[in-house]
Amino acid sequence: ADTVMRQQARARLDQLAIPHWALGQLMDTAEELAAMTRSMAPSVKRKAIAVMAGDHGIVAAGVSRFPQAVTVEMVRNFLNGKASINALARQVGASLTVVDAGVAGDLTELYHHDALWNRKVAAGTADLSRGPAMSRAQAIQCLEVGIEVANHLADTTDLYATGDMGIGNTSPSSAIIACLCGCDIATVTGRGTGLDDAALNNKIAVLDRALALNRPDAADGLDVLSKVGGFEIGAIAGLILGAAAQRKPVVIDGIISTAGALIAASLVPASRDYMIAGHCSVEPGHRIALNHLGKAPLLDLRLRLGEGTGAALAMHLVEAAVAVLTEIATFEEAAVSQA
Amino acid sequence: ADTVMRQQARARLDQLAIPHWALGQLMDTAEELAAMTRSMAPSVKRKAIAVMAGDHGIVAAGVSRFPQAVTVEMVRNFLNGKASINALARQVGASLTVVDAGVAGDLTELYHHDALWNRKVAAGTADLSRGPAMSRAQAIQCLEVGIEVANHLADTTDLYATGDMGIGNTSPSSAIIACLCGCDIATVTGRGTGLDDAALNNKIAVLDRALALNRPDAADGLDVLSKVGGFEIGAIAGLILGAAAQRKPVVIDGIISTAGALIAASLVPASRDYMIAGHCSVEPGHRIALNHLGKAPLLDLRLRLGEGTGAALAMHLVEAAVAVLTEIATFEEAAVSQA
């Protein structure tokens, strides 16, 4: 991001006719947006949410309460406009693109929808508690899917957001976070869609085994993605890299999207400059991952859904941050006395 | 609020095609809105923010960094559309009404603006460190100003928000909170617009003296308002009472608005049911007051401005909560498998 424009934005924000920096995190965000977009009037009006979908072989180890069929059912729900992300995308005026990056079930009957991309890398990952989730070539492939989506949307998008759908995907996300943040798996593993204590302990044990078996190299984001990741997580990482390459902001959703953001930051550290943390969920690994990325979340509403819902909600705050930078008079402009 | 409709809303939210209650506080808010409005499709589209302005005799005791003239200057800034609340009200599509409930300076040249109401109770309160801030009759009068504004806006408003302007007004707010929440004044007093340590200690000492001198009766909200309150704080309390009487939701802004909410709840406990906490500011008394009201704030962005800015930002989340209740399919409607 651009240091000169950051300083110029800070200089203006410092002079607004309010007690110094009294709009807190909104002003931090305004400064970041100026640096990202190299503009004192950042464009964020045209908003696009990409929901990456994929399945996970590790569900065979009993890490999720919901059956794998739900991934297909929810993709259908997205295309029918009746899911949570549809409601919240409409609310903030964002477009929605759904990408089959690796759903296990057959989506052939749905590919005629313009909003659904068929970029299935494989019919779900392999069970990472028994070996690598995917090959290195597949890891590159799902990253490229995300980059392709970002590039396709570029002409009509000022502000991106990430989303995910995939039964079982808090498991690979926790594994990625443990590896890339250097944490014990137990501290970053949560109840996902609602595991009880026994199932949570099983999930932790399964992931502990998976990390011991695969030994992902924390210095190599591609190795981490291929050993313990997921196709939709790779596609999310790719979307972030694509947005960053365009110097456009991208709002990160929940723990799955943030695992993708860790992969992106591992591959291209500068991509971090274009990330905005939409929210912090109740999954314990999420806050740890956000801290590792140096990102303060805009919202903390006890969300634990994914789909891009937290990112969609935060898009309004990103627009508000631009309004702070562009629509508020300084002490001098407003002829207001200073302290 | 209505128990039957609350239960009906909860029954629907329990069945949405997401992990149970995975949209957290948004779902809590949706349930509240259904109970407030007695509707499964609460109206919140038409939004109105009322900014109550007043001055404070206690500024003579050196409790604020900014000169009192800023209250008038900021009212002018509001009417010119260049202040923070203008930017954020536009952002969320809310109307703005500014009320002179007791500004010390002369606003005659501005009263021709339709958006400004002249309801000046007096030219600022008396110095509450030397005696009561206002008479009991004036306390009733400023409450009535807020009720009048709420009633006037009723035909065109589904969702209200409170805002304040008044140099020095964190001082009466802290005094009200200390009294009505039964806290030590030091624990609920903050730096306001940016006091240094010495000035903060002075502010605490002044307020401690004011409470000892006036001995406001915590069982009598009118006594608290008259002894240690402010005209704009009374008008905010009145606005809340007016909204509650209409069974419409009102989003509470920062510490000044929340002090007003405490007065309202003290006078009419049921008014609490119609309050939504927009945010939690950095003022230490704010969270204490919100806890006392039993309200979880929607946002926590290190704001400390007032004007209604945090409430304006939260209005988008209130609308999103309605979308959660009305636009998301249940498991059955969406044919999604359950856990």
Side-chain angles (χ1 to χ4, degrees):
Chain A
D2 189 77
T3 319
V4 172
M5 197 54 75
R6 176 188 301 276
Q7 284 166 352
Q8 198 173 322
R10 187 176 301 184
R12 176 163 184 92
L13 294 166
D14 277 341
Q15 290 303 313
L16 295 186
I18 61 175
H20 189 252
W21 221 263
L23 287 168
Q25 208 175 336
L26 226 45
M27 301 180 88
D28 303 340
T29 303
E31 189 185 306
E32 297 289 329
L33 288 165
M36 291 177 198
T37 61
R38 278 113 169 118
S39 170
M40 287 292 283
S43 295
V44 292
K45 278 226 177 324
R46 298 175 306 166
K47 297 176 278 291
I49 303 168
V51 180
M52 308 302 190
D55 275 308
H56 300 272
I58 198 174
V59 295
V63 295
S64 179
R65 290 179 70 219
F66 283 87
Q68 192 170 60
V70 169
T71 306
V72 167
E73 292 165 354
M74 285 303 301
V75 167
R76 187 179 294 114
N77 202 11
F78 296 150
L79 298 171
N80 287 338
K82 299 293 189 66
S84 303
I85 189 55
N86 299 103
L88 299 181
R90 277 193 294 268
Q91 190 63 33
V92 78
S95 73
L96 194 66
T97 302
V98 184
V99 180
D100 176 2
V103 175
D106 185 2
L107 293 175
T108 305
E109 51 136 350
L110 297 174
Y111 290 141
H112 68 275
H113 281 276
D114 287 341
L116 178 63
W117 289 38
N118 173 13
R119 291 294 183 281
K120 199 191 287 283
V121 174
T125 55
D127 181 350
L128 61 94
S129 72
R130 295 164 176 276
M134 67 185 85
S135 69
R136 194 166 176 97
Q138 287 178 320
I140 292 169
Q141 196 182 337
C142 60
L143 281 168
E144 286 176 342
V145 166
I147 294 169
E148 183 193 357
V149 172
N151 287 345
H152 178 83
L153 293 171
D155 282 349
T156 54
T157 304
D158 301 314
L159 177 64
Y160 290 88
T162 66
D164 72 284
M165 181 65 223
I167 294 302
N169 64 8
T170 60
S171 286
S173 300
S174 291
I176 288 169
I177 292 166
C179 180
L180 289 177
C181 301
C183 293
D184 190 81
I185 189 68
T187 64
V188 297
T189 303
R191 296 174 190 276
T193 52
L195 299 180
D196 61 20
D197 287 350
L200 174 61
N201 287 335
N202 171 63
K203 181 177 173 181
I204 291 169
V206 166
L207 290 175
D208 203 35
R209 272 207 314 277
L211 287 164
L213 174 72
N214 285 297
R215 304 176 61 87
D217 177 2
D220 177 0
L222 261 182
D223 192 60
V224 177
L225 176 59
S226 61
K227 299 281 184 55
V228 299
F231 297 129
E232 82 278 43
I233 297 173
I236 287 166
L239 187 92
I240 293 167
L241 295 178
Q246 297 165 40
R247 298 178 172 173
K248 289 178 182 170
V250 52
V251 186
I252 312 297
D253 188 38
I255 187 169
I256 288 93
S257 287
T258 307
L262 285 172
I263 299 287
S266 165
L267 295 170
V268 184
S271 67
R272 214 182 54 84
D273 292 351
Y274 297 88
M275 301 173 189
I276 295 172
H279 78 114
C280 186
S281 79
V282 298
E283 279 285 306
H286 195 191
R287 190 169 295 276
I288 290 167
L290 291 172
N291 286 343
H292 187 84
L293 288 165
K295 295 291 171 184
L298 288 168
L299 293 166
D300 189 351
L301 294 169
R302 289 182 283 109
L303 308 179
R304 51 185 177 84
L305 179 57
E307 299 183 7
T309 49
L313 288 168
M315 281 175 142
H316 180 77
L317 297 175
V318 174
E319 290 195 285
V322 170
V324 168
L325 184 60
T326 58
E327 298 183 28
I328 302 177
T330 62
F331 281 105
E332 192 178 339
E333 289 164 0
V336 170
S337 305
Q338 300 207 37
Chain B
D2 189 77
T3 319
V4 173
M5 197 54 75
R6 177 190 300 278
Q7 283 165 353
Q8 198 173 322
R10 187 177 302 183
R12 177 167 182 89
L13 294 167
D14 277 341
Q15 290 302 316
L16 295 186
I18 61 174
H20 189 253
W21 222 262
L23 288 169
Q25 208 175 338
L26 226 45
M27 301 180 88
D28 302 341
T29 304
E31 189 185 306
E32 297 289 328
L33 288 165
M36 289 177 200
T37 62
R38 276 112 169 118
S39 170
M40 287 292 284
S43 295
V44 292
K45 279 229 175 322
R46 299 174 305 166
K47 298 178 279 292
I49 302 166
V51 180
M52 307 303 189
D55 275 307
H56 300 272
I58 198 174
V59 297
V63 295
S64 180
R65 292 178 69 217
F66 284 85
Q68 192 170 62
V70 168
T71 305
V72 167
E73 292 165 354
M74 285 304 301
V75 168
R76 187 180 294 113
N77 202 11
F78 297 150
L79 298 172
N80 288 337
K82 300 292 189 67
S84 303
I85 190 56
N86 301 103
L88 299 182
R90 277 192 294 269
Q91 189 63 34
V92 78
S95 74
L96 194 66
T97 302
V98 184
V99 179
D100 176 2
V103 175
D106 186 2
L107 293 174
T108 305
E109 50 136 350
L110 297 174
Y111 290 141
H112 68 277
H113 282 273
D114 287 341
L116 177 63
W117 288 39
N118 173 14
R119 291 296 183 280
K120 199 192 290 280
V121 174
T125 56
D127 181 350
L128 59 95
S129 71
R130 295 165 175 274
M134 66 185 85
S135 68
R136 194 166 174 100
Q138 287 177 320
I140 292 169
Q141 195 181 339
C142 59
L143 281 169
E144 287 176 342
V145 166
I147 294 169
E148 183 192 356
V149 172
N151 288 345
H152 178 83
L153 293 171
D155 282 349
T156 54
T157 303
D158 302 313
L159 177 64
Y160 290 89
T162 66
D164 72 283
M165 182 66 224
I167 293 303
N169 64 7
T170 59
S171 286
S173 300
S174 292
I176 289 169
I177 293 167
C179 180
L180 288 178
C181 302
C183 293
D184 191 80
I185 189 68
T187 64
V188 296
T189 303
R191 295 174 190 276
T193 53
L195 298 180
D196 62 20
D197 287 350
L200 174 61
N201 288 334
N202 172 62
K203 181 177 174 182
I204 291 168
V206 167
L207 290 175
D208 202 36
R209 269 205 317 275
L211 287 165
L213 174 70
N214 286 296
R215 305 176 60 86
D217 177 3
D220 177 0
L222 261 183
D223 192 61
V224 177
L225 176 59
S226 62
K227 298 282 183 54
V228 298
F231 298 129
E232 81 278 44
I233 297 173
I236 287 166
L239 188 92
I240 293 167
L241 295 179
Q246 296 165 40
R247 298 178 172 173
K248 289 178 182 171
V250 52
V251 186
I252 311 298
D253 187 39
I255 186 168
I256 289 92
S257 287
T258 306
L262 285 172
I263 298 287
S266 164
L267 295 171
V268 184
S271 68
R272 214 182 54 85
D273 292 350
Y274 298 87
M275 303 175 187
I276 295 172
H279 78 115
C280 186
S281 79
V282 298
E283 279 285 306
H286 194 191
R287 190 169 296 277
I288 290 167
L290 290 173
N291 287 342
H292 188 83
L293 288 165
K295 297 290 172 185
L298 288 168
L299 293 165
D300 189 352
L301 294 168
R302 287 182 283 110
L303 308 179
R304 50 186 178 83
L305 178 56
E307 298 183 8
T309 48
L313 289 168
M315 281 175 142
H316 180 78
L317 297 176
V318 174
E319 290 194 287
V322 170
V324 168
L325 184 60
T326 58
E327 298 184 29
I328 301 178
T330 62
F331 281 106
E332 191 178 339
E333 289 164 0
V336 170
S337 306
Q338 300 207 37

